[in-house]
Amino acid sequence: MAEFPELGDHCSYEHCKQLDFLPFSCDGCLKVFCYQHRGISSHHCTQEFVKLPAPIPDDKEKSYACLFAGCGSRELMPVQCEDCRRNYCLRHRHQQDHSCAKMQPVPEKMVKTAELVQHIQASHEAKAPAVSKRVKSTPLSARLQLMKLKQRAAGEKSIAESERLYLQVILPRGSAHRTCPLFISKLWTVGRAIDYTAAAAGVKNSNNLTTAQKLQLFSAADGRRFASDVTCEQTCELKNGGTVILEYSARDCSQLEDWHDYVVLAE
């Protein structure tokens, strides 16, 4: 042992003092001990300080509940109203959507300005060119619109090209995006098309539950509801390059009343 005087260390326990080449350090008194006296009780450690294991981080994702009455939706990120400072989901984030208590009434001057704009638009529509002049450009416009839609549309790659139906879908009010270009199968029922569209656009779909509001598909031409139990191919209004409206409504709703507003906002 005299050949290696600097190797190891002596046990600090007063009745031991054994030379140990691999001594243990106590987390309480910070002294070194041999294997036999390494435990706190074995060397009668009197220090109160003992290192505790680090807390395990909580990896569970935190979500934020929507405070709009009767909603119950949750978001992974806080969506706070800048005026009332309350938290809402994406559907109710705007003042008018959650009936914000601090929403200011529209000034009378702005109301008159809006009425004037509507009057000007109505006068321009009355002076629009004859139908015969516009019909000539309609087929070309439709083909161009379809070509642009195909470039941006997403869908299941397994659907054969001959079965694909390309649609521009106007999403429900309060959605993160106004429209969603996609393609579905002509052989699908309208109900299946609604489920696929909701999943692709990230829209909440509770059609499998008995609720007052149901996610339904409407025509962008006249607001009529498409029956969910027929195939898209059997629905004459569903055509390649067409536009439809996806919105929540009562289960017995047959027509979307303000369908024209959706089309104007989507343009």
Side-chain angles (χ1 to χ4, degrees):
M1 301 298 287
E3 296 179 1
F4 307 100
E6 297 181 357
L7 293 181
D9 208 339
H10 289 276
C11 176
S12 298
Y13 187 54
E14 60 181 350
H15 300 299
C16 179
K17 302 299 182 180
Q18 178 184 347
L19 178 63
D20 197 318
F21 292 103
L22 295 173
F24 296 86
S25 179
C26 176
D27 290 336
C29 61
L30 303 180
K31 296 180 180 180
V32 294
F33 296 91
C34 64
Y35 178 82
Q36 183 180 356
H37 299 108
R38 70 188 188 281
I40 295 176
S41 58
S42 60
H43 66 262
H44 307 294
C45 185
T46 58
Q47 300 297 322
E48 297 182 357
F49 172 75
V50 177
K51 291 183 180 178
L52 299 176
I56 300 175
D58 185 9
D59 294 331
K60 185 178 180 182
E61 292 184 348
K62 185 177 181 181
S63 59
Y64 299 82
C66 176
L67 298 181
F68 185 72
C71 179
S73 298
R74 305 184 75 88
E75 301 291 344
L76 295 179
M77 297 292 292
V79 182
Q80 195 176 70
C81 174
E82 295 181 355
D83 296 284
C84 64
R85 315 305 297 179
R86 290 167 62 85
N87 200 76
Y88 297 97
C89 63
L90 293 176
R91 179 176 173 80
H92 299 112
R93 68 187 187 278
H94 298 298
Q95 281 187 319
Q96 61 270 24
D97 294 330
H98 64 260
S99 303
C100 185
K102 294 190 177 182
M103 183 169 59
Q104 299 294 329
V106 180
E108 183 179 355
K109 184 177 180 180
M110 292 182 64
V111 174
K112 292 183 178 180
T113 302
E115 292 177 352
L116 178 61
V117 171
Q118 291 180 354
H119 177 72
I120 295 174
Q121 289 178 341
S123 63
H124 278 291
E125 291 176 359
K127 298 177 182 179
V131 176
S132 58
K133 293 183 181 179
R134 293 188 299 174
V135 170
K136 294 180 181 179
S137 62
T138 300
L140 179 60
S141 299
R143 286 197 297 269
L144 291 174
Q145 183 177 353
L146 179 59
M147 288 174 60
K148 292 180 180 180
L149 185 59
K150 285 184 176 182
Q151 293 175 353
R152 298 183 293 113
E156 291 187 1
K157 303 301 181 183
S158 59
I159 301 175
E161 187 66 35
S162 58
E163 295 180 8
R164 293 184 181 184
L165 179 63
Y166 290 86
L167 296 172
Q168 180 74 279
V169 183
I170 301 175
L171 301 178
R173 286 178 175 171
S175 300
H177 303 283
R178 290 182 178 178
T179 60
C180 177
L182 51 78
F183 63 85
I184 56 177
S185 173
K186 297 178 182 179
L187 306 181
W188 290 358
T189 62
V190 174
R192 181 178 176 183
I194 292 174
D195 293 338
Y196 178 80
T197 304
V203 175
K204 183 180 179 181
N205 183 7
S206 302
N207 286 0
N208 59 328
L209 303 176
T210 306
T211 57
Q213 294 289 315
K214 183 178 180 181
L215 197 59
Q216 306 198 77
L217 204 62
F218 300 88
S219 169
D222 53 15
R224 286 186 299 171
R225 178 178 64 85
F226 298 127
S228 59
D229 56 348
V230 298
T231 64
C232 298
E233 192 174 33
Q234 294 173 333
T235 307
C236 300
E237 290 84 355
L238 288 175
K239 297 181 180 179
N240 252 338
T243 303
V244 293
I245 303 171
L246 186 69
E247 185 54 278
Y248 301 94
S249 67
R251 289 182 172 269
D252 57 352
C253 177
S254 60
Q255 186 169 16
L256 197 62
E257 295 182 356
D258 53 350
W259 59 271
H260 186 265
D261 295 340
Y262 289 83
V263 179
V264 173
L265 292 174
E267 291 178 350

